[in-house]
Each structure stands twice: as structure tokens, then as C-alpha cells.
Amino acid sequence: MKKIFSTILLAAISVIGVQAQSVGVNAESGNRALEQANCWGFGATTYTSTAAQVITGSWSIRSNSPTNMDPGACWVKSPWLKPSSGNITLNIKFETGNVSTLARATIRRVIAAYISYDSTKNYGEGSFVRFDSTTYNSNTTTLIPTTAQSLSFAVPAAIANSGLPYKIQLSFVGTGGTTRFNIDDISIPGTYFSDPANSCKPLAQKADADGDGVADIEDAYPNDATKAYNVSITPSKTGSTLLFEDAWPNNGDYDFNDLVVNYKYTGVTNANNNLVELNGQAIVKAIGASYQNGFAIQLDNIASSAVSSVSGVKTNSPGWLTVDANGTEAGQTFANIVVIDNVSRLFPTPAAGSFINTLLSDAKVAYDTTNFTITFTSASKVSVKDIAINPYLIVNQNRNYEIHLADKAPTNKADATLFGTADDDSNVGTARFYKNKNNLPWALDVIGDIPYSKEHVDITSGYLNLT
């Protein structure tokens, strides 16, 4: 069955010939006007469904009987396209016509040419350049074949990948006899670049100041070739909420206000949709703990070497933290970033270690916001789908004492001997982590900016439908 290069371009116009990296026509629409509306051109050719003339499928293109070698007499011309490297291919078949006598000299030739764009010319068509041809002769010893022939013409290096618009014209010429060409399955390497809504002129070139292949109008960073798009990575534009209970492996008072952090992450990608930056925001809203806890994240399955730099974190060189030159924590398989080494130190009053915004009797303290950036190496080719952020609490300046979300794996630094002790029911062998015997966690991640419990109020009392 014939492969049909068909799609829809503009409202209700059926198109033959818009496909990734190729532009083609094969007449299967059965209506040449549809292809003309889509900027194909035809000279002294029509569509045929006569079985003896069709090469593949139900329709093919049929030429008039050629009478001279002028390429402007009988042809098929492509829309404007941006050619790429490769071969222009097509199938032809000659009708028996009047070539069966060896004594009759007959020439049939297919000429391949390209046409440059010149805005000062009619239809924008500039110079016409022939670059290849295939010739068939009938003479006293040879007959023109009447079986299907597959032709191939290499796209000239002068136009391949130039980024400029061209048309490709295939001309069907000859002298002697009356035999016609049947033509099918024309395929041209390149990208469709015509505008049917504007007299089939080339699409308007969009400004691209930094040359990254993304038009300025679509580029969030039009003057920076390393960046192109901003992408949201967290499910809520207003941020989500992390709530920690720091008594693990004991259940504790289960008020989930020992650290309350509103967070969101956005990414910056380049023209190839690889992440250039991961931008995080952590807003510490409440500390219902006497412990001096730290807040960190692990980028699961992202090697530390994929990160080129980290900026904006709030650390003060505590003895338990060693950071590599790129800003990630040393000795970790995956990229770990300690965002805040001691959240209590963010609030000068009341004194470090005191409750912040969890006691109704105390005055409310302004939230603290940390904006940090993780920059990736150009060679890492990290995509948004690769990002899995694993946040955790570092308890009371003890680096080996981590609290993660339920079933989120600990980092290399965590003390594995704590699993399965006290109220914890973790099982390293089955990748069960940070759940008690009732499957309850020590950390919650909730979409949106939500209220938290006041001090010593079990969270299930505040959220009656929490399960």
C-alpha cells in the first residue's frame, strides 16, 4: 500500500506533503486543487486514476506529451521549503505510447532544479539552477522502459541546511514520439516553509537575536543562546507545603509543625529542552521545634557531576557539612543540596531554638524566603522529566539523622541502623521508608499553601479527613 504524506494545514485544507523532515506529493488526494491550495505547482500535468498509468496507490501524476527540452514546459514544483541533506526521490513510468519502434529516436529526461527566493520577483522566484538529470533514450538498439523507475537526486550542498527557503522543480521533457511520463511518490528532504494564507510566499522569518533557533517572540531569554524557556516543575504555581514531624523514629506529638516550608520549583531550558537551571524557593513559615534542624533536597538519580554550580543557599559552614566545588554535598551518589543548614538561625527573635509561629500566645514572625539556583552542566542533558526532588529534614545538626517523605529513599549520609527502631517500620529490602506500623509518615507534601497545626495539636484533629 502506498505511503501517504498527508496532514492538515490551515482550516479545512487537506494537504499532501507536510511531514517531519520531508515534503512530498503523491496525488492520493485525487484532487490537484488541494495541493495547489497548499502551494504545490503543476505545469502541463494532471492527476490520473487509470490503472495502466498509476504507479502506486489509486492516483498518480500524468504529464502531457513532451515536445521539447525546455524545463519550463512540463513540471511539478514544490512549495517553499528549507532543504536538508539527503536525496530527492520519485517514481516514474513511461506509457507505451509511440516508442515501440527501435528505428524511432526518442528522448525523455527528468531535470532537477532549485529556485531561490527573491522578494523583487514575481511569486518571489529568483534564480533557476539545474543540478541533476536522468535521461532515457530510444534508438535503433534500445527502447524506453515502460516499467516503473525509481529516481534519486542528491540535494545540493549549496542549499542543504542553509536555513534559506527554496523551491524544488522537477521537469519532464523530451522529443520524439508521444509517450508521456507518469509520476508518483515525490519526496524532498526539508521543512515546509510556505504560507498558503499569504499567496504562498515563504513564511515570515522571525527574529532570533541570540541565534539559538527559538524566535525572540517565543524565547524567554532572547539575548542568551543558552536559555530559551521557563517551565513550572511543581504542581501548584502558588507553591506546595512540606510539613515535618522531627521525632522520628518515635511518633512524637504528631502535630507536623516542627518545620513548615512552602516551596515551588521552576526550570529554565535551552532550545533543545534540556534543563539549564532549576530554581527553587523555600519559604519557612513555622518552626515548632526546640531542635535546630536543617532543610535539604536530593535530586534522585541525578549525578552530582551533572551540576555545575549552586547559588542562593543559606549555609554557614557547619562542621557536619562538606561541599564540593560545584556546591553539591560531598560524598553523595546523587546531587544533594543543603538549602538551609539551620532553619532556627533564620529568625533572630525569639532566640534560636524557640517556637516560631506555632504558639498562639506569641507574636507572629515574618516568614523567611530562600531563593536558590542549581545550574546544570551543558553536557548533562537533564530534562524536566528526569527531575525527582526528594526533600528531607536534617535533625538537630546531626547529619546522619534524616527524615524524608514516606517511601522516599534516604541519602548516602543517613544512618541506616535507625530504620526499624522505636515506632519506625521501615524495611530497606522492600524500599519501605519512613512509615510507622500504621503506615503513617513523618513528613507530608501537600499541593497548595495550606494551614498547619498549632503546637501539640495532632494533625488528625485539625484535618478530620486525613487518611
Side-chain angles (χ1 to χ4, degrees):
M1 181 177 179
K2 176 187 290 189
K3 182 178 180 181
I4 300 176
F5 304 96
S6 61
T7 186
I8 300 295
L9 182 68
L10 303 180
I13 296 180
S14 176
V15 176
I16 303 294
V18 182
Q19 187 178 359
Q21 299 304 312
S22 68
V23 177
V25 66
N26 55 27
E28 285 305 293
S29 70
N31 183 354
R32 192 180 69 169
L34 293 177
E35 277 67 75
Q36 289 172 318
N38 207 26
C39 305
W40 282 90
F42 301 90
T45 54
T46 188
Y47 281 12
T48 178
S49 60
T50 301
Q53 299 164 355
V54 170
I55 301 175
T56 56
S58 301
W59 292 82
S60 291
I61 300 167
R62 186 180 188 227
S63 76
N64 288 359
S65 295
T67 59
N68 59 66
M69 305 299 287
D70 179 5
C74 181
W75 42 265
V76 175
K77 189 185 301 180
S78 78
W80 291 109
L81 57 91
K82 289 187 174 181
S84 55
S85 299
N87 293 323
I88 300 164
T89 58
L90 70 154
N91 294 320
I92 64 169
K93 183 172 70 171
F94 298 106
E95 297 177 17
T96 302
N98 190 7
V99 296
S100 58
T101 303
L102 290 174
R104 181 175 290 107
T106 302
I107 299 174
R108 293 293 181 267
R109 181 175 295 158
V110 180
I111 299 171
Y114 63 81
I115 302 168
S116 63
Y117 178 66
D118 185 341
S119 61
T120 67
K121 305 293 185 181
N122 289 337
Y123 310 109
E125 294 186 0
S127 58
F128 179 92
V129 180
R130 305 186 198 195
F131 62 86
D132 208 345
S133 65
T134 297
T135 301
Y136 296 87
N137 292 293
S138 176
N139 49 44
T140 57
T141 60
T142 306
L143 289 175
I144 287 178
T146 55
T147 56
Q149 307 288 307
S150 295
L151 304 185
S152 179
F153 304 112
V155 175
I159 67 171
N161 304 310
S162 67
L164 299 175
Y166 290 89
K167 289 184 178 182
I168 299 296
Q169 180 170 311
L170 298 170
S171 299
F172 307 95
V173 303
T175 59
T178 60
T179 189
R180 304 185 185 208
F181 291 84
N182 294 303
I183 307 132
D184 216 333
D185 303 322
I186 297 173
S187 180
I188 306 167
T191 304
Y192 187 93
F193 204 67
S194 281
D195 186 355
N198 187 25
S199 303
C200 284
K201 294 178 181 177
L203 290 169
Q205 295 277 7
K206 295 181 180 178
D208 180 13
D210 57 17
D212 63 355
V214 179
D216 291 350
I217 194 171
E218 300 163 356
D219 196 334
Y221 305 88
N223 296 307
D224 186 344
T226 68
K227 300 178 181 179
Y229 306 109
N230 292 321
V231 293
S232 179
I233 293 177
T234 41
S236 173
K237 291 183 178 180
T238 59
S240 296
T241 306
L242 289 167
L243 306 103
F244 289 94
E245 176 60 49
D246 68 3
W248 179 85
N250 298 294
N251 285 335
D253 60 9
Y254 228 64
D255 57 12
F256 279 88
N257 67 11
D258 295 336
L259 178 62
V260 180
V261 178
N262 180 265
Y263 73 92
K264 59 183 174 182
Y265 295 95
T266 59
V268 178
T269 64
N270 61 20
N272 296 318
N273 291 314
N274 295 321
L275 268 176
V276 177
E277 291 178 357
L278 176 65
N279 296 304
Q281 182 180 79
I283 303 174
V284 177
K285 300 179 65 176
I287 301 173
S290 57
Y291 287 162
Q292 298 185 37
N293 298 320
F295 175 66
I297 63 171
Q298 175 171 275
L299 303 183
D300 288 347
N301 302 312
I302 302 295
S304 297
S305 60
V307 175
S308 65
S309 65
V310 175
S311 61
V313 297
K314 293 178 179 175
T315 58
N316 195 32
S317 302
W320 53 263
L321 177 61
T322 303
V323 178
D324 284 332
N326 66 353
T328 63
E329 186 177 25
Q332 297 278 22
T333 301
F334 303 132
N336 276 260
I337 293 89
V338 176
V339 180
I340 306 167
D341 61 5
N342 185 346
V343 294
S344 297
R345 189 168 48 82
L346 302 177
F347 301 93
T349 55
S354 299
F355 296 156
I356 303 295
N357 295 334
T358 62
L359 295 173
L360 297 180
S361 58
D362 289 349
K364 186 175 180 179
V365 177
Y367 303 152
D368 182 88
T369 300
T370 301
N371 293 303
F372 60 98
T373 297
I374 303 166
T375 303
F376 296 96
T377 65
S378 59
S380 64
K381 293 183 170 54
V382 175
S383 69
V384 172
K385 65 180 178 59
D386 296 326
I387 296 297
I389 299 170
N390 180 352
Y392 58 97
L393 194 74
I394 298 171
V395 180
N396 204 28
Q397 304 298 290
N398 183 345
R399 180 61 193 88
N400 300 324
Y401 204 125
E402 299 177 358
I403 300 176
H404 292 248
L405 296 165
D407 291 332
K408 288 291 187 180
T411 80
N412 294 355
K413 302 284 187 178
D415 183 356
T417 65
L418 294 171
F419 294 125
T421 64
D423 296 313
D424 180 68
D425 193 41
S426 297
N427 186 325
V428 176
T430 61
R432 174 186 171 91
F433 295 109
Y434 300 102
K435 290 180 178 177
N436 67 18
K437 294 177 177 59
N438 295 319
N439 286 323
L440 296 175
W442 278 267
L444 295 172
D445 185 4
V446 183
I447 296 175
D449 187 8
I450 67 165
Y452 52 87
S453 296
K454 64 182 180 180
E455 197 59 44
H456 302 307
V457 175
D458 189 304
I459 194 170
T460 59
S461 298
Y463 289 91
L464 300 180
N465 294 321
L466 186 68
T467 56

